[in-house]
Amino acid sequence: MLKRILTALVMIVVVFGFILGLRQVHPAILAGFIALITIAGAYEMCDALKKAEYKTMMILDMIAALAICVLTYFFNYLGLALSMAAFVIIALSIFTFDHKYELKDVFATIFILFYPILPMALLVIMNNSPLGLYAILLTVFIPVLTDTLAYFTGRFLGNKKLCPEISPKKTIAGAIGGVIGAILGALLVFLLFDVLNVFESFNYVESFALSDEYWKSALIYIAFGIVAGPICEIGDLIASWIKRKAGIKDYGNIFPGHGGFMDRLDSVIVNIPIVLCFIEIITRI
């Protein structure tokens, strides 16, 4: 448990430092960091599906992870759409002419283009926006606090299992604690931006507040946390079910006590489109 907590604290400090530090230099530097994480996540997913007896086109998925992030950075949604379509066609073409691949193999290869590569490319789009830092912190803080509160609530108060066939350690109490954590994560962003305006002097950061009245902003953040929390927990369960089907405990072992990149990205990945929708709504109202 101590190793898990220490690793979590180090990861939070490192990730927060990278986000702030790299965006201070230029958002393109952070986009490059996101691309590297995307490549690592794609590799781990390829490896997991290999253990589940799928012969994925690993090299193609690795190239796609980099190319899609790069094209998305320069051309936003158009680059994302065209590059995704191009790599789906390439995968199908390889399947057509290289008969060592079965139909399930090309489907597994294309699956990785959509999970985790597509959501991570959306994170690049998020990083490009004027509200990039705001959106990224909202994307990261909510899953981190969801996972943290779910873990400790489940450990000390949990009794009744949530989905024992998917993840035996998850409890209903933990799930409730996770939603509370999501609310706290959203309120932390509210505190940093609406109340304290901590990043006012930072490069490439636009000052932002949901409302001139704190109570209105706080209610919106609480509502968003209530919505995002369960979705983040579902993201965790999705990744757990893939691991169970692949017969593995973790996607990797780079983070002691926490597994690999995909073990840490599972909740973040599903939160990315939710935050993007939230940003679109609040900027249009």
Side-chain angles (χ1 to χ4, degrees):
M1 181 178 176
L2 179 60
K3 181 172 70 173
R4 181 185 178 94
I5 294 172
L6 290 175
T7 303
L9 290 174
V10 171
M11 284 193 298
I12 289 169
V13 171
V14 169
V15 170
F16 191 67
F18 264 105
I19 291 172
L20 292 180
L22 296 181
R23 283 194 104 259
Q24 277 289 283
V25 179
H26 196 278
I29 308 298
L30 182 56
F33 180 63
I34 294 170
L36 291 176
I37 294 176
T38 306
I39 293 169
Y43 173 82
E44 289 181 351
M45 187 56 70
C46 283
D47 193 52
L49 294 180
K50 180 181 178 182
K51 291 180 172 66
E53 300 184 353
Y54 291 93
K55 191 186 297 180
T56 61
M57 303 170 194
M58 180 179 285
I59 299 301
L60 178 66
D61 277 326
M62 303 287 283
I63 294 171
L66 176 59
I68 290 171
C69 285
V70 170
L71 291 170
T72 299
Y73 176 79
F74 285 107
F75 303 106
N76 268 22
Y77 287 106
L78 178 61
L80 174 58
L82 292 179
S83 58
M84 285 289 295
F87 279 103
V88 169
I89 293 170
I90 292 170
L92 291 170
S93 299
I94 293 173
F95 162 72
T96 300
F97 295 105
D98 189 345
H99 295 165
K100 72 180 180 183
Y101 294 106
E102 301 292 336
L103 192 59
K104 66 174 185 177
D105 300 326
V106 73
F107 285 163
T109 299
I110 293 172
F111 169 76
I112 294 168
L113 294 176
F114 287 89
Y115 182 88
I117 295 175
L118 173 60
M120 293 301 290
L122 291 175
L123 189 61
V124 173
I125 291 176
M126 187 184 292
N127 177 57
N128 285 348
S129 72
L131 297 178
L133 181 63
Y134 168 81
I136 289 173
L137 293 185
L138 196 60
T139 299
V140 173
F141 283 170
I142 288 177
V144 167
L145 286 173
T146 297
D147 289 348
T148 302
L149 266 291
Y151 175 77
F152 285 107
T153 306
R155 185 176 180 86
F156 295 109
L157 300 177
N159 189 8
K160 189 174 178 58
K161 301 298 182 182
L162 180 65
C163 299
E165 71 281 5
I166 299 176
S167 185
K169 293 183 179 181
K170 288 181 171 54
T171 64
I172 293 176
I176 295 171
V179 175
I180 295 172
I183 294 170
L184 292 176
L187 288 175
L188 178 57
V189 175
F190 160 69
L191 181 67
L192 292 175
F193 282 86
D194 289 61
V195 179
L196 302 177
N197 201 8
V198 170
F199 307 108
E200 182 179 13
S201 61
F202 278 53
N203 297 328
Y204 307 106
V205 177
E206 183 174 300
S207 296
F208 178 76
L210 276 180
S211 170
D212 293 333
E213 299 183 74
Y214 290 157
W215 69 271
K216 288 183 179 179
S217 294
L219 287 178
I220 294 172
Y221 281 109
I222 290 170
F224 184 71
I226 292 171
V227 172
I231 292 173
C232 289
E233 292 178 330
I234 291 171
D236 192 348
L237 292 173
I238 289 169
S240 295
W241 189 237
I242 293 172
K243 286 189 290 186
R244 186 164 290 273
K245 285 296 184 179
I248 59 175
K249 181 179 182 294
D250 295 311
Y251 286 102
N253 55 15
I254 192 169
F255 305 116
H258 288 265
F261 284 96
M262 283 302 299
D263 295 287
R264 294 299 88 211
L265 289 174
D266 51 13
S267 299
V268 173
I269 284 173
V270 297
N271 196 38
I272 292 168
I274 304 303
V275 172
L276 272 176
C277 288
F278 178 69
I279 297 297
E280 284 294 319
I281 292 170
I282 62 176
T283 53
R284 291 175 184 271
I285 294 178

